[in-house]
Amino acid sequence: MRQRIPSLSSLRAFEAAASHLNLRRAAKDLFITESAVSRQIIALEKFLGVELFRRANKRVTLTAAGAAYSRQVREVLAQLERNTLDVMAHEGSGGIVELACVPTLAVEWLIPRLPDFYARHPQVVVNISAKTDFFFFDGAPYDASIHYGTDVYPGARTDLLFGEESIVVCRPDFFAGRTQVSAQEVAMAPRLHLASRALDWKHWIESAGVDLANPMSGARFEHHTMVISAVRAGLGLGLVPRFLVEQYLIKGELLSPVRHFLRSSNAYYFVTPDSRPTSDAVAGLREWLLAAAHDFACS
Protein backbone atom coordinates (compact mmCIF):
# COMPACT_ATOMS: atom_id res chain seq x y z
CA MET A 1 0.00 0.00 0.00
CA ARG A 2 2.80 2.41 0.86
CA GLN A 3 4.19 1.96 -2.67
CA ARG A 4 1.07 3.68 -4.03
CA ILE A 5 1.69 6.89 -2.07
CA PRO A 6 3.93 9.56 -3.67
CA SER A 7 6.71 11.12 -1.63
CA LEU A 8 5.78 14.10 0.53
CA SER A 9 8.52 16.22 -1.08
CA SER A 10 7.10 15.65 -4.57
CA LEU A 11 3.57 16.52 -3.38
CA ARG A 12 4.80 19.72 -1.73
CA ALA A 13 6.68 20.71 -4.89
CA PHE A 14 3.61 19.99 -7.03
CA GLU A 15 1.27 21.95 -4.71
CA ALA A 16 3.59 24.98 -4.67
CA ALA A 17 4.00 24.93 -8.46
CA ALA A 18 0.24 24.51 -8.95
CA SER A 19 -0.46 27.45 -6.65
CA HIS A 20 1.95 29.81 -8.39
CA LEU A 21 2.05 28.32 -11.91
CA ASN A 22 5.65 29.43 -11.70
CA LEU A 23 8.55 27.11 -10.82
CA ARG A 24 10.82 29.93 -9.65
CA ARG A 25 8.27 31.16 -7.09
CA ALA A 26 7.54 27.60 -6.00
CA ALA A 27 11.26 27.03 -5.45
CA LYS A 28 11.46 30.22 -3.38
CA ASP A 29 8.56 29.04 -1.17
CA LEU A 30 10.23 25.68 -0.59
CA PHE A 31 13.80 27.00 -0.21
CA ILE A 32 15.08 24.71 -2.95
CA THR A 33 16.28 25.28 -6.52
CA GLU A 34 14.01 25.61 -9.52
CA SER A 35 15.57 22.53 -11.07
CA ALA A 36 14.82 20.56 -7.90
CA VAL A 37 11.14 21.54 -8.15
CA SER A 38 11.11 20.47 -11.79
CA ARG A 39 12.69 17.10 -10.95
CA GLN A 40 10.16 16.46 -8.17
CA ILE A 41 7.24 17.20 -10.50
CA ILE A 42 8.63 15.00 -13.27
CA ALA A 43 9.09 12.19 -10.72
CA LEU A 44 5.49 12.63 -9.53
CA GLU A 45 4.13 12.55 -13.10
CA LYS A 46 6.15 9.40 -13.78
CA PHE A 47 4.83 7.82 -10.57
CA LEU A 48 1.22 8.68 -11.48
CA GLY A 49 1.54 7.99 -15.18
CA VAL A 50 -0.39 11.23 -15.73
CA GLU A 51 0.70 14.59 -17.12
CA LEU A 52 0.00 17.30 -14.52
CA PHE A 53 1.43 20.34 -16.30
CA ARG A 54 1.69 21.60 -19.85
CA ARG A 55 5.03 23.26 -20.55
CA ALA A 56 5.37 25.81 -23.34
CA ASN A 57 7.65 28.86 -23.78
CA LYS A 58 9.04 28.50 -20.25
CA ARG A 59 5.49 28.68 -18.84
CA VAL A 60 3.54 25.97 -17.05
CA THR A 61 -0.21 25.48 -16.93
CA LEU A 62 -2.19 22.75 -15.22
CA THR A 63 -3.86 20.01 -17.20
CA ALA A 64 -7.43 19.11 -16.23
CA ALA A 65 -6.06 16.16 -14.23
CA GLY A 66 -3.45 18.41 -12.64
CA ALA A 67 -6.04 20.99 -11.59
CA ALA A 68 -8.22 18.35 -9.95
CA TYR A 69 -5.27 16.66 -8.25
CA SER A 70 -3.89 19.98 -6.97
CA ARG A 71 -7.12 20.68 -5.08
CA GLN A 72 -7.00 17.24 -3.48
CA VAL A 73 -3.31 17.51 -2.59
CA ARG A 74 -3.79 20.99 -1.12
CA GLU A 75 -6.57 19.69 1.13
CA VAL A 76 -4.52 16.68 2.26
CA LEU A 77 -1.45 18.79 3.03
CA ALA A 78 -3.56 21.32 4.94
CA GLN A 79 -5.13 18.53 7.01
CA LEU A 80 -1.71 17.01 7.67
CA GLU A 81 -0.46 20.40 8.87
CA ARG A 82 -3.48 20.82 11.16
CA ASN A 83 -2.97 17.34 12.60
CA THR A 84 0.72 18.00 13.17
CA LEU A 85 0.06 21.33 14.91
CA ASP A 86 -2.63 19.68 17.05
CA VAL A 87 -0.23 16.98 18.23
CA MET A 88 2.50 19.54 18.93
CA ALA A 89 0.14 21.86 20.80
CA HIS A 90 -1.64 19.17 22.75
CA GLU A 91 1.31 16.86 23.39
CA GLY A 92 -0.80 13.81 22.58
CA SER A 93 -3.10 13.88 25.64
CA GLY A 94 -6.79 14.59 26.17
CA GLY A 95 -8.56 15.45 22.96
CA ILE A 96 -9.05 18.11 20.31
CA VAL A 97 -12.34 19.54 19.06
CA GLU A 98 -12.50 21.34 15.73
CA LEU A 99 -15.53 23.60 16.23
CA ALA A 100 -17.22 25.68 13.54
CA CYS A 101 -19.10 28.59 15.06
CA VAL A 102 -21.06 31.69 14.13
CA PRO A 103 -18.33 34.35 14.51
CA THR A 104 -20.15 36.91 16.67
CA LEU A 105 -21.45 34.19 18.99
CA ALA A 106 -17.90 32.90 19.35
CA VAL A 107 -16.48 36.34 20.15
CA GLU A 108 -19.20 37.71 22.41
CA TRP A 109 -20.60 34.59 24.13
CA LEU A 110 -18.52 31.43 23.76
CA ILE A 111 -14.92 32.58 24.16
CA PRO A 112 -15.54 34.63 27.35
CA ARG A 113 -16.99 31.45 28.93
CA LEU A 114 -14.26 29.04 27.76
CA PRO A 115 -12.08 29.50 30.89
CA ASP A 116 -14.77 27.63 32.81
CA PHE A 117 -14.70 24.81 30.26
CA TYR A 118 -10.92 24.50 30.44
CA ALA A 119 -11.06 24.50 34.24
CA ARG A 120 -13.30 21.43 34.00
CA HIS A 121 -11.53 19.82 31.01
CA PRO A 122 -7.89 20.93 31.18
CA GLN A 123 -6.67 18.27 28.72
CA VAL A 124 -9.04 19.24 25.91
CA VAL A 125 -8.25 21.81 23.22
CA VAL A 126 -11.05 23.56 21.32
CA ASN A 127 -10.03 25.05 17.97
CA ILE A 128 -12.65 27.53 16.75
CA SER A 129 -13.27 28.47 13.11
CA ALA A 130 -15.71 31.14 11.94
CA LYS A 131 -18.53 29.62 9.89
CA THR A 132 -21.81 31.31 9.05
CA ASP A 133 -23.07 29.17 6.16
CA PHE A 134 -24.60 25.72 6.33
CA PHE A 135 -22.15 22.93 5.47
CA PHE A 136 -22.09 19.13 5.34
CA PHE A 137 -19.74 17.42 7.80
CA ASP A 138 -18.60 14.85 5.23
CA GLY A 139 -15.40 16.26 3.76
CA ALA A 140 -15.28 19.13 6.29
CA PRO A 141 -12.55 19.32 8.95
CA TYR A 142 -14.99 19.97 11.81
CA ASP A 143 -16.02 17.71 14.69
CA ALA A 144 -18.97 19.88 15.71
CA SER A 145 -20.68 23.17 14.97
CA ILE A 146 -22.71 25.86 16.71
CA HIS A 147 -25.33 26.58 14.09
CA TYR A 148 -27.97 29.31 13.85
CA GLY A 149 -31.13 28.14 12.14
CA THR A 150 -33.58 25.28 12.65
CA ASP A 151 -33.20 21.88 14.28
CA VAL A 152 -33.22 20.20 10.85
CA TYR A 153 -29.59 19.52 9.89
CA PRO A 154 -29.09 16.69 7.34
CA GLY A 155 -26.64 14.03 8.44
CA ALA A 156 -26.25 15.43 11.94
CA ARG A 157 -27.68 15.53 15.46
CA THR A 158 -28.80 18.84 16.97
CA ASP A 159 -29.08 20.02 20.59
CA LEU A 160 -30.92 23.27 21.30
CA LEU A 161 -28.77 25.81 23.12
CA PHE A 162 -31.06 28.86 23.27
CA GLY A 163 -33.37 31.02 21.20
CA GLU A 164 -32.83 34.58 20.14
CA GLU A 165 -34.44 37.92 20.94
CA SER A 166 -33.17 40.98 19.11
CA ILE A 167 -33.35 44.34 20.85
CA VAL A 168 -32.76 47.90 19.72
CA VAL A 169 -29.51 49.36 21.08
CA CYS A 170 -27.83 52.75 20.86
CA ARG A 171 -25.24 54.85 22.61
CA PRO A 172 -26.44 56.49 25.84
CA ASP A 173 -26.13 59.95 24.26
CA PHE A 174 -27.82 59.03 20.97
CA PHE A 175 -31.23 60.49 21.91
CA ALA A 176 -29.75 63.50 23.72
CA GLY A 177 -29.48 61.55 26.96
CA ARG A 178 -33.03 60.17 26.97
CA THR A 179 -33.07 56.51 27.96
CA GLN A 180 -36.56 55.70 26.65
CA VAL A 181 -38.16 56.83 23.39
CA SER A 182 -41.15 55.77 21.31
CA ALA A 183 -41.11 53.12 18.58
CA GLN A 184 -41.91 55.92 16.11
CA GLU A 185 -38.74 57.80 17.12
CA VAL A 186 -36.70 54.62 16.71
CA ALA A 187 -38.16 54.01 13.27
CA MET A 188 -37.29 57.55 12.15
CA ALA A 189 -33.67 57.39 13.36
CA PRO A 190 -30.73 56.04 11.31
CA ARG A 191 -30.90 52.24 11.39
CA LEU A 192 -27.99 49.85 10.92
CA HIS A 193 -28.77 46.52 9.21
CA LEU A 194 -27.17 43.09 9.22
CA ALA A 195 -26.83 42.16 5.54
CA SER A 196 -27.79 38.51 6.07
CA ARG A 197 -30.95 39.53 7.94
CA ALA A 198 -32.06 42.37 5.74
CA LEU A 199 -35.73 42.13 6.78
CA ASP A 200 -35.27 42.24 10.56
CA TRP A 201 -35.79 46.00 10.90
CA LYS A 202 -38.83 45.80 8.61
CA HIS A 203 -40.34 43.07 10.81
CA TRP A 204 -39.55 45.03 13.98
CA ILE A 205 -41.16 48.21 12.64
CA GLU A 206 -44.26 46.39 11.43
CA SER A 207 -44.67 44.43 14.67
CA ALA A 208 -44.30 47.69 16.63
CA GLY A 209 -47.27 49.11 14.71
CA VAL A 210 -45.30 51.88 13.00
CA ASP A 211 -46.13 52.92 9.44
CA LEU A 212 -42.90 53.74 7.63
CA ALA A 213 -42.47 54.31 3.89
CA ASN A 214 -39.02 52.68 3.62
CA PRO A 215 -38.09 50.43 6.55
CA MET A 216 -35.14 49.04 4.55
CA SER A 217 -33.14 52.28 4.50
CA GLY A 218 -29.82 52.43 6.32
CA ALA A 219 -26.26 51.13 6.13
CA ARG A 220 -25.64 47.39 5.93
CA PHE A 221 -22.89 45.36 7.57
CA GLU A 222 -21.73 41.77 7.08
CA HIS A 223 -21.41 40.73 10.74
CA HIS A 224 -23.13 41.54 14.02
CA THR A 225 -19.76 42.63 15.42
CA MET A 226 -19.68 45.34 12.75
CA VAL A 227 -23.21 46.47 13.61
CA ILE A 228 -22.33 46.65 17.31
CA SER A 229 -19.14 48.57 16.56
CA ALA A 230 -21.07 51.01 14.37
CA VAL A 231 -23.65 51.52 17.14
CA ARG A 232 -20.87 52.19 19.66
CA ALA A 233 -19.43 54.74 17.21
CA GLY A 234 -22.78 56.57 17.19
CA LEU A 235 -23.64 55.84 13.57
CA GLY A 236 -27.19 54.75 14.35
CA LEU A 237 -29.39 52.16 16.01
CA GLY A 238 -28.72 48.45 15.91
CA LEU A 239 -31.18 45.57 16.13
CA VAL A 240 -29.06 42.79 17.60
CA PRO A 241 -29.47 39.63 19.70
CA ARG A 242 -29.66 40.55 23.38
CA PHE A 243 -26.94 38.10 24.46
CA LEU A 244 -24.40 39.71 22.13
CA VAL A 245 -24.62 43.09 23.88
CA GLU A 246 -25.27 42.09 27.49
CA GLN A 247 -21.80 43.17 28.62
CA TYR A 248 -22.23 46.60 27.01
CA LEU A 249 -25.66 47.04 28.61
CA ILE A 250 -24.32 46.07 32.05
CA LYS A 251 -21.39 48.48 31.74
CA GLY A 252 -23.67 51.28 30.53
CA GLU A 253 -21.81 51.62 27.24
CA LEU A 254 -25.03 50.91 25.32
CA LEU A 255 -28.70 51.06 26.21
CA SER A 256 -31.96 49.75 24.81
CA PRO A 257 -34.22 52.81 24.35
CA VAL A 258 -37.46 50.93 23.66
CA ARG A 259 -39.07 47.83 25.19
CA HIS A 260 -40.28 46.27 21.94
CA PHE A 261 -38.10 43.37 20.70
CA LEU A 262 -38.07 40.91 17.79
CA ARG A 263 -38.22 37.19 18.57
CA SER A 264 -36.57 34.97 15.95
CA SER A 265 -38.09 31.72 14.70
CA ASN A 266 -34.53 30.33 14.53
CA ALA A 267 -32.25 29.35 17.39
CA TYR A 268 -28.69 28.28 18.20
CA TYR A 269 -27.90 24.57 18.14
CA PHE A 270 -24.89 22.41 18.94
CA VAL A 271 -24.50 20.10 15.95
CA THR A 272 -22.51 16.87 15.65
CA PRO A 273 -22.27 14.54 12.63
CA ASP A 274 -24.09 11.21 12.46
CA SER A 275 -21.36 9.73 10.29
CA ARG A 276 -18.70 9.43 13.00
CA PRO A 277 -18.63 8.43 16.69
CA THR A 278 -18.65 11.20 19.27
CA SER A 279 -15.27 11.51 20.98
CA ASP A 280 -14.93 12.07 24.72
CA ALA A 281 -13.70 15.61 24.00
CA VAL A 282 -16.76 16.46 21.89
CA ALA A 283 -19.06 14.83 24.46
CA GLY A 284 -17.47 16.94 27.21
CA LEU A 285 -17.90 20.12 25.19
CA ARG A 286 -21.53 19.24 24.45
CA GLU A 287 -22.33 18.63 28.13
CA TRP A 288 -20.67 21.87 29.18
CA LEU A 289 -22.32 23.92 26.41
CA LEU A 290 -25.80 22.67 27.30
CA ALA A 291 -25.25 23.57 30.94
CA ALA A 292 -23.80 27.00 30.07
CA ALA A 293 -26.69 27.70 27.68
CA HIS A 294 -29.25 26.64 30.32
CA ASP A 295 -27.67 28.93 32.94
CA PHE A 296 -27.60 31.78 30.45
CA ALA A 297 -31.22 31.30 29.33
CA CYS A 298 -32.37 31.26 32.98
CA SER A 299 -30.35 34.32 33.99
Side-chain angles (χ1 to χ4, degrees):
M1 289 295 292
R2 295 171 62 183
Q3 293 178 350
R4 306 308 304 166
I5 301 174
S7 70
L8 181 59
S9 56
S10 66
L11 292 175
R12 291 181 67 236
F14 167 63
E15 192 277 332
S19 296
H20 293 295
L21 291 180
N22 184 293
L23 299 187
R24 183 177 297 122
R25 276 185 258 173
K28 186 176 180 181
D29 276 0
L30 299 173
F31 299 101
I32 59 178
T33 65
E34 184 177 342
S35 61
V37 172
S38 182
R39 287 195 300 273
Q40 292 285 2
I41 292 172
I42 291 171
L44 179 61
E45 289 178 320
K46 183 177 180 180
F47 176 88
L48 297 172
V50 175
E51 186 180 39
L52 300 173
F53 288 99
R54 295 188 185 91
R55 300 158 177 84
N57 299 323
K58 296 184 178 180
R59 296 183 59 219
V60 293
T61 58
L62 286 164
T63 63
Y69 192 49
S70 70
R71 290 190 293 270
Q72 296 165 340
V73 168
R74 188 172 297 116
E75 181 179 331
V76 169
L77 291 176
Q79 182 62 56
L80 179 60
E81 182 179 28
R82 286 193 296 268
N83 293 344
T84 302
L85 291 173
D86 285 344
V87 170
M88 293 170 65
H90 201 53
E91 299 179 346
S93 61
I96 298 165
V97 180
E98 295 291 344
L99 179 68
C101 188
V102 180
T104 310
L105 177 77
V107 171
E108 301 291 351
W109 188 85
L110 176 59
I111 293 174
R113 289 170 169 79
L114 276 181
D116 178 68
F117 172 78
Y118 284 128
R120 299 167 188 267
H121 303 273
Q123 299 302 315
V124 176
V125 171
V126 180
N127 296 329
I128 302 175
S129 300
K131 195 76 175 176
T132 56
D133 300 328
F134 171 87
F135 66 91
F136 290 102
F137 279 96
D138 290 344
Y142 307 116
D143 301 307
S145 170
I146 296 181
H147 159 73
Y148 175 75
T150 70
D151 61 352
V152 178
Y153 203 109
R157 303 178 294 273
T158 60
D159 290 291
L160 174 65
L161 296 177
F162 44 77
E164 181 184 270
E165 291 179 355
S166 291
I167 61 173
V168 177
V169 290
C170 65
R171 275 182 26 162
D173 60 353
F174 189 80
F175 286 105
R178 289 187 295 156
T179 59
Q180 289 293 304
V181 298
S182 68
Q184 180 70 39
E185 289 176 285
V186 167
M188 297 303 294
R191 298 180 308 282
L192 308 174
H193 301 258
L194 183 69
S196 60
R197 304 190 194 181
L199 296 177
D200 274 10
W201 267 115
K202 180 178 184 292
H203 293 156
W204 185 94
I205 290 168
E206 290 174 349
S207 62
V210 176
D211 184 18
L212 191 66
N214 184 14
M216 305 293 289
S217 65
R220 282 167 171 71
F221 299 87
E222 186 174 358
H223 298 299
H224 270 130
T225 48
M226 297 178 180
V227 174
I228 294 168
S229 182
V231 170
R232 297 182 69 197
L235 299 183
L237 302 176
L239 183 61
V240 298
R242 188 190 304 271
F243 72 88
L244 293 180
V245 291
E246 61 173 338
Q247 61 174 317
Y248 303 114
L249 297 173
I250 292 171
K251 293 177 182 177
E253 297 174 8
L254 296 177
L255 63 84
S256 184
V258 65
R259 294 180 182 274
H260 187 64
F261 61 86
L262 183 68
R263 190 184 301 277
S264 175
S265 60
N266 291 326
Y268 292 89
Y269 295 89
F270 183 65
V271 186
T272 51
D274 279 329
S275 58
R276 66 190 79 153
T278 301
S279 67
D280 290 343
V282 172
L285 179 62
R286 174 186 177 275
E287 181 182 4
W288 174 83
L289 273 172
L290 291 175
H294 177 268
D295 292 345
F296 171 72
C298 294
S299 62

